[in-house]
Amino acid sequence: MSLRSRIMLFTDWYEPGFKAGGPIRSCVNFATQMKEDYDIYIFTSDRDLDDKQSYAQIESNQWIERGGVEVFYASPGSLNWESILVHIQQVKPDYLYLNSMYSRYFTIYPLLMKRMGMIKGQVILAPRGMLKSTAIQYKTGKKKIFFQLLRLLNIHRKIIFHATDSTEADDIKKLFGNGSRIKQISNFPPHQKILQPISKNTGDIRMAFAGRVHPIKNLLFLLHCLQTVCGKITLTIIAPVEDEAYWRECSSVIQKLPETVNVVLCEDVPHHEIEQLIYEHHLFVLPTLGENFGHAIFEALSAGRPVLISDQTPWRNLQQSHAGWDLPLSNPAAFVKVLQQVADMDDETFQQWSAGAWQYAKNFSESSKLKEKYKKLFS
């Protein structure tokens, strides 16, 4: 039997799922980095976000080895209090790592089990950006009741919160008090990519937007900005349509854009194909209302593609590194100015920004010493 500590990671979705975006990447990157030092068990659902069918060629309701870790893909019928408790008791984890805030089966049940003394291992809860005010504004009533219940039962005193940046740490303190135990560690980034140059013609710009078609990702803001940008413009939207009403608003604006602007929607793109799509574009754009990490942003930077994003992410001061622009959403004119600036760039100037983006990502990966910080968290 292994003498290494056991981490049982709970997450609603895991590979080969991709529709839930960043949270999946957070868990996959964590497992990839930590499996050398810990026995990792992933407990997750057997289908992707909003899918009716389970993953093809993956056996549900049994532990299987995947990429050096053990994964249990639970079917909807097997997700209940009794079965979840049985799996925890069988694994006997030293640490339970919860990667959501409101999930009934993958967060709330384990938290209640901990409160009732059914779980001996330390519980670590990663809110994954779900405590931001921009996230709480959706289904506000239910979320407030949930927070009140956690405080009433004193559950927040029995766990450690994992915040990925100072903003998330502040959000935790705001909701659960300054006495909350919080460890602030950034997410593991993906491995640094090879810089593959792409040529740039003056007056021509191909940009990629990746995430979800949802108000939080702020696609509508970007489309309004494109109305006055001059040049031959292509925008590729790499995102599942999560909010149909919001997509109808976006479609209405798309229809009114100048003929020089071509918008393409690519839905249900597996993660491994997104990387190649990013390589085929000059600029990554995401005027998000808030990210606790922003995996797609970092992947674009590590591919050597400058990014145009809001100032609501951890990636700041990009311009001084020639890696991109992080701008306030209160100033849409600034976004329009940068879009025009990139459209007007010649190849030589663009290559400088491309190299700057790649170097920015490389510097982060080499200087953060993340693995040592995570090993302290799980010790």
Side-chain angles (χ1 to χ4, degrees):
M1 180 178 289
S2 172
L3 297 177
R4 305 195 307 174
S5 293
R6 292 185 171 192
I7 300 174
M8 190 171 182
L9 186 154
F10 276 65
T11 177
D12 289 77
W13 305 284
Y14 192 72
E15 281 190 332
F18 59 89
K19 294 179 182 177
I24 295 177
R25 304 321 311 163
S26 296
C27 294
V28 171
N29 293 343
F30 173 86
T32 300
Q33 293 285 345
M34 300 295 280
K35 66 185 180 183
E36 297 175 359
D37 301 282
Y38 298 83
D39 291 334
I40 307 292
Y41 295 80
I42 312 288
F43 189 78
T44 188
S45 58
D46 72 349
R47 60 203 63 197
D48 209 348
L49 175 65
D50 293 331
D51 278 3
K52 304 300 182 186
Q53 301 295 323
S54 60
Y55 299 119
Q57 299 177 326
I58 288 183
E59 291 292 330
S60 300
N61 302 323
Q62 61 179 284
W63 288 102
I64 61 173
E65 191 275 333
R66 183 182 176 91
V69 302
E70 296 292 321
V71 187
F72 190 98
Y73 293 95
S75 65
S78 71
L79 284 172
N80 56 65
W81 177 279
E82 292 78 12
S83 66
I84 291 171
L85 182 59
V86 165
H87 291 304
I88 295 173
Q89 291 173 337
Q90 286 176 342
V91 173
K92 296 183 176 64
D94 299 285
Y95 301 93
L96 225 65
Y97 188 28
L98 312 179
N99 287 265
S100 179
M101 198 66 222
Y102 314 111
S103 173
R104 176 180 176 181
Y105 302 114
F106 299 96
T107 303
I108 297 174
Y109 279 10
L111 286 178
L112 290 173
M113 290 171 186
K114 179 64 176 178
R115 176 64 179 84
M116 297 167 69
M118 297 177 172
I119 295 175
K120 293 182 179 179
Q122 175 67 62
V123 174
I124 297 169
L125 173 58
R128 297 292 173 211
M130 296 179 190
L131 298 181
K132 287 182 178 290
S133 58
T134 50
I136 291 176
Q137 67 181 321
Y138 300 98
K139 301 180 181 177
T140 305
K142 289 183 179 179
K143 291 175 181 177
K144 285 184 177 178
I145 293 171
F146 175 64
F147 298 142
Q148 289 170 357
L149 180 63
L150 286 184
R151 291 191 293 264
L152 182 66
L153 296 176
N154 220 28
I155 292 175
H156 61 294
R157 300 293 185 192
K158 297 182 175 296
I159 64 175
I160 297 173
F161 288 95
H162 169 209
T164 53
D165 61 11
S166 59
T167 301
E168 188 161 58
D170 289 341
D171 291 335
I172 293 168
K173 292 174 187 175
K174 192 183 306 178
L175 286 163
F176 299 107
N178 291 328
S180 302
R181 289 188 291 169
I182 303 170
K183 299 293 184 182
Q184 183 181 318
I185 313 172
S186 177
N187 284 322
F188 280 114
H191 291 297
Q192 182 72 16
K193 296 176 175 56
I194 298 171
L195 177 57
Q196 295 184 10
I198 181 175
S199 61
K200 170 76 173 63
N201 296 322
T202 303
D204 180 5
I205 177 174
R206 297 198 296 281
M207 65 184 76
F209 170 104
R212 297 173 289 145
V213 176
H214 186 281
I216 286 179
K217 303 301 181 181
N218 217 9
L219 174 60
L220 193 60
F221 176 94
L222 172 60
L223 294 171
H224 282 300
C225 289
L226 289 177
Q227 290 175 326
T228 55
V229 179
C230 299
K232 183 183 176 184
I233 301 164
T234 297
L235 169 64
T236 303
I237 302 166
I238 311 165
V241 176
E242 186 172 318
D243 188 319
E244 292 287 351
Y246 185 73
W247 174 241
R248 286 194 292 272
E249 286 186 73
C250 293
S251 298
S252 178
V253 177
I254 290 170
Q255 292 171 7
K256 298 171 185 174
L257 288 173
E259 292 183 358
T260 53
V261 180
N262 180 37
V263 179
V264 179
L265 174 65
C266 297
E267 284 195 86
D268 298 341
V269 180
H271 177 260
H272 66 276
E273 294 180 14
I274 293 177
E275 177 181 331
Q276 185 55 44
L277 279 171
I278 289 175
Y279 273 130
E280 295 170 3
H281 294 77
H282 302 110
L283 181 70
F284 180 89
V285 189
L286 191 69
T288 175
L289 298 182
E291 303 289 326
N292 77 317
F293 186 78
H295 285 277
I297 297 169
F298 189 86
E299 294 207 9
L301 290 167
S302 67
R305 299 298 179 262
V307 302
L308 171 57
I309 59 177
S310 72
D311 60 1
Q312 300 299 305
T313 86
W315 310 110
R316 304 300 302 277
N317 306 312
L318 296 170
Q319 192 166 357
Q320 65 188 37
S321 300
H322 274 65
W325 301 262
D326 46 288
L327 305 176
L329 294 170
S330 59
N331 188 4
F335 280 82
V336 174
K337 183 178 179 181
V338 169
L339 288 168
Q340 191 63 63
Q341 176 186 339
V342 179
D344 293 341
M345 273 185 189
D346 59 20
D347 186 61
E348 182 180 356
T349 305
F350 174 76
Q351 299 309 329
Q352 294 172 1
W353 284 88
S354 178
W358 186 85
Q359 191 63 49
Y360 181 96
K362 186 171 185 287
N363 290 345
F364 174 84
S365 296
E366 292 178 349
S367 66
S368 55
K369 297 181 180 178
L370 288 176
K371 193 163 187 179
E372 290 87 343
K373 295 176 182 176
Y374 274 97
K375 289 173 77 171
K376 285 183 180 179
L377 175 61
F378 292 92
S379 65

